[in-house]
Amino acid sequence: MTSPALTPLRAAPVGPRAESLRPPWPFTGREEELDLVRRSSAAGRPGVVVTGPAGCGRTRLATEAVRGTDCVRVSPTPETRATPFGAFAPVLPESVTLHRAVRLLSGVRLLFVDDAHLLDDASAALLHHLAVQGRTRLLVTVTDGAPAPAAVTRLRTGESLPRLALAPLPDDATDPLLEAATGGPLDPLTAHRLRRLCRGDLRLLRDLTAAVRDAGLLTRLPETGLRAWRGPVPPTPALRERAAAVLARPCPEERETLDRLAFAEPLPLPAGALDLRALERLEADALIEVADDDTVRLAHPLHGPMLRATAGRLRARRLSGLRGPLTDALDTETAALLDGIARDDVRTARTPVGEWLVAEGAPVPAGYAAVRARFARLRGELREAAAWAREGLSETPGHPACRRELALTAARSGDPDPDDGATEGGATDDLDAYDAVRLGAPERALELLPPDGVFARHARALARADGAALDRVAAELGERGFLLYAAEAYAQAASVHRDPTAARTARTRAAALARRCQGARTPALSGPALGELTARQRQIVTLAAAGLTNRQIAERLTLSVRTVGNHLYGAYARLGTADRTTLPWLVEQPA
């Protein structure tokens, strides 16, 4: 019996599989990984295994990498797992041995196997033999933690092929996705809510944003014109399926426990209202978490909203009545936030009650909102800080602390509002003396800052023009959650380093951190980055920073795409970056 010809298949269209007619999301935030995958799959290379948690964008990245190339694509499903070589059925004869399958596929230039953890054992063995043989370039995606054949597990660990482990997409990179899904920019608290509910799962993010949009739940805020989502999660079939682990819990005691947590989390232990045996079973199934302070929470942030959204009216009324006064819970959260600020540690704090109030569209006390705004501002989350301040002002117009936070946030964004009377050097900040350090005058602050604190160390390093010490301070500030201050310290280090390599490294770190600070524009972040480039490199980098693709730049400058790529490669080496998304921060001068 002769084997059928293996016709190379073009990559499937970008986006979700055929179950949806929704347009594809824009490709964003993975430019460096895309370049790595393309280089790993080029001629003379063995290929690459792309791993990561469910929904992190592995398939989207791989599909983008093979766009426009000829390849054989294999997409196993749970159904094909029951049939030997089931996933390879479109490209192999009905009856085939492992040896013959290896021989048939050895002539394929590029084989793309998506979701390889779903392969049957025979297909997994075939993939392993191809990897060991090395004649076929392989692009393989695997979900972290998913059950997989032993041969795929060996691939997942990087034993036979180079491995690229995808981290969750950074928050700033999800903004274009949210705008594409909802038709425009969102209120920062709405964007934060969507990201928090989805925990980096881009498929869930797509489902949830589509549900919110299709249900007409987006409204415009009068203060900013941005669209906001307030109110319950729409219990669509797709979202019900995502929350099936709690919605379909058969044990009545366990379901009652989950519902009580949904309406009143966190609850303390021991708690007479909770069934301890049910709690033990739920903890074993990773549906709840017990914190160090002996409080119990639902493990996934989507589960509480879905349990509330699917509860009947009478059940919801009963469970809501079991919730204690929110004032006490808000006071506890406020104290925790202020304690972190006092300890110079503004890493993420759990504040479910405040977020629940905003999500439900309930009034947020201005005092609490001001502290949330202050905490977010110190973290460099400037748009969220302004949004929290506006929440407080909507409840208590003219609240002094909220007005002050709004003014300080505007100042750090390079857009001070004259009505609020704040400028970057003139507003009364929590760290007045530290402003002098951030603005480049550390001597004035040394006598006023606590001598053993990280802010005083920043002042001493800047006063001595000690680049290495500034790098260390910047790293510590970043670890403590002060991302904007860390970016400024790295920028200062770049300006005093005598070693060009150290200066480029510091500048790149400053750009990467500043990009996460939601539009920050401060004097400390300004500084020439293009002086090290040739005139042509400066021209091309400036266009790339404006968002033009290599092909668009080539057409504008009458160059070949290859020439543009070569100039960018040289510019990246001089700037100390390989990430196109950092270019705006390296070349733009803050206002």
Side-chain angles (χ1 to χ4, degrees):
M1 171 176 158
T2 59
S3 63
L6 283 175
T7 304
L9 306 176
R10 288 201 174 270
V14 174
R17 291 184 176 135
E19 74 269 9
S20 173
L21 296 178
R22 289 176 294 183
W25 282 26
F27 183 80
T28 178
R30 299 284 193 202
E31 286 77 9
E32 188 173 353
E33 293 93 337
L34 177 63
D35 181 62
L36 191 153
V37 172
R38 283 176 171 166
R39 286 189 280 112
S40 298
S41 304
R45 301 290 182 89
V48 66
V49 176
V50 182
T51 67
C56 71
R58 296 178 319 281
T59 298
R60 182 71 172 86
L61 172 65
T63 303
E64 191 71 20
V66 301
R67 182 187 294 277
T69 67
D70 288 327
C71 73
V72 171
R73 178 169 182 166
V74 174
S75 299
T77 66
E79 291 72 27
T80 63
R81 201 171 200 171
T83 305
F85 300 114
F88 286 88
V91 294
L92 290 176
E94 285 187 19
S95 298
V96 66
T97 64
L98 176 61
H99 176 75
R100 190 178 181 208
V102 171
R103 183 164 55 84
L104 289 171
L105 290 175
S106 293
V108 173
R109 293 182 179 180
L110 176 61
L111 176 62
F112 171 21
V113 182
D114 192 22
D115 287 341
H117 54 282
L118 296 177
L119 287 173
D120 60 274
D121 289 337
S123 296
L126 169 59
L127 183 61
H128 176 72
H129 277 73
L130 292 171
V132 172
Q133 186 185 68
R135 295 178 185 173
T136 302
R137 299 194 303 276
L138 299 175
L139 174 53
V140 182
T141 69
V142 188
T143 298
D144 285 344
V152 173
T153 299
R154 290 196 293 272
L155 281 177
R156 183 162 54 190
T157 59
E159 180 179 310
S160 305
L161 289 175
R163 174 173 173 258
L164 171 62
L166 288 188
L169 198 65
D171 284 353
D172 60 291
T174 65
D175 287 340
L177 303 180
L178 293 175
E179 291 185 17
T182 58
L186 294 176
D187 155 60
L189 298 185
T190 297
H192 172 77
R193 181 187 183 189
L194 288 166
R195 288 191 289 259
R196 180 175 56 83
L197 289 174
C198 299
R199 277 192 173 175
D201 187 330
L202 299 182
R203 292 178 302 180
L204 177 55
L205 186 66
R206 186 179 179 87
D207 288 344
L208 183 55
T209 51
V212 170
R213 179 198 62 212
D214 295 345
L217 301 179
L218 293 171
T219 59
R220 292 200 178 274
L221 295 177
E223 305 90 347
T224 63
L226 298 174
R227 290 170 309 155
W229 168 38
R230 304 289 189 264
V233 172
T236 65
L239 295 176
R240 283 175 181 268
E241 182 179 351
R242 295 298 186 117
V246 292
L247 295 180
R249 202 71 181 180
C251 174
E253 291 80 12
E254 293 176 10
R255 179 58 191 266
E256 176 70 12
T257 299
L258 291 168
D259 281 343
R260 285 177 180 270
L261 287 170
F263 280 85
E265 66 176 332
L267 289 175
L269 284 177
L274 299 179
D275 185 302
L276 293 181
R277 290 188 180 276
L279 285 173
E280 291 173 1
R281 293 192 295 269
L282 293 170
E283 184 183 26
D285 290 343
L287 295 180
I288 64 168
E289 295 175 347
V290 180
D292 292 338
D293 60 356
D294 282 340
T295 57
V296 184
R297 295 179 173 87
L298 294 167
H300 197 289
L302 180 67
H303 289 168
M306 286 301 296
L307 287 165
R308 293 195 297 271
T310 56
R313 184 172 299 178
L314 293 178
R315 187 174 182 81
R317 183 181 301 174
R318 175 177 65 82
L319 293 169
S320 297
L322 299 175
R323 185 174 55 221
L326 292 183
T327 303
D328 294 343
L330 287 176
D331 288 345
T332 299
E333 289 186 3
T334 300
L337 294 170
L338 291 175
D339 178 66
I341 294 172
R343 292 184 290 102
D344 298 334
D345 187 340
V346 292
R347 282 170 281 197
T348 303
R350 297 200 64 165
T351 50
V353 179
E355 288 163 358
W356 181 85
L357 286 177
V358 170
E360 296 296 321
V364 179
Y368 174 85
V371 174
R372 287 299 301 267
R374 180 182 173 191
F375 194 84
R377 172 175 57 81
L378 292 174
R379 285 177 47 81
E381 297 167 344
L382 301 185
R383 289 195 290 269
E384 289 185 25
W388 277 109
R390 292 190 184 97
E391 285 290 324
L393 289 172
S394 67
E395 175 66 12
T396 308
H399 189 272
C402 288
R403 283 180 56 84
R404 176 168 164 271
E405 289 300 328
L406 193 60
L408 287 167
T409 301
R412 279 154 175 68
S413 302
D415 184 27
D417 184 345
D419 293 337
D420 289 323
T423 61
E424 176 61 14
T428 303
D429 196 355
D430 307 297
L431 300 166
D432 284 328
Y434 189 53
D435 273 343
V437 182
R438 297 175 51 243
L439 297 174
E443 296 83 1
R444 290 166 36 196
L446 281 171
E447 296 181 358
L448 300 176
L449 291 170
D452 297 329
V454 63
F455 304 118
R457 290 197 294 278
H458 186 181
R460 287 193 292 270
L462 185 60
R464 297 194 306 265
D466 187 336
L470 283 168
D471 283 339
R472 291 192 295 271
V473 164
E476 183 178 351
L477 286 167
E479 291 172 359
R480 292 171 176 265
F482 295 96
L483 300 189
L484 176 56
Y485 297 162
E488 292 173 331
Y490 274 127
Q492 292 166 338
S495 67
V496 300
H497 270 303
R498 295 183 180 181
D499 178 6
T501 300
R504 284 195 295 269
T505 300
R507 183 165 53 242
T508 300
R509 290 172 177 170
L513 287 170
R515 185 182 58 178
R516 296 168 58 187
C517 292
Q518 303 181 352
R521 292 289 186 272
T522 71
L525 291 178
S526 64
L530 298 184
E532 300 181 18
L533 306 182
T534 66
R536 179 63 87 182
Q537 285 173 339
R538 286 198 299 272
Q539 187 180 31
I540 290 173
V541 164
T542 301
L543 292 173
L548 275 67
T549 65
N550 286 12
R551 184 170 298 279
Q552 290 170 329
I553 296 171
E555 292 172 353
R556 178 171 296 193
L557 301 181
T558 320
L559 299 171
S560 70
V561 176
R562 181 184 296 274
T563 299
V564 171
N566 289 338
H567 279 301
L568 275 176
Y569 183 80
Y572 288 155
R574 293 192 179 194
L575 292 172
T577 184
D579 186 352
R580 196 184 189 100
T581 60
T582 64
L583 291 180
W585 297 100
L586 289 171
V587 305
E588 291 181 0
Q589 301 301 308

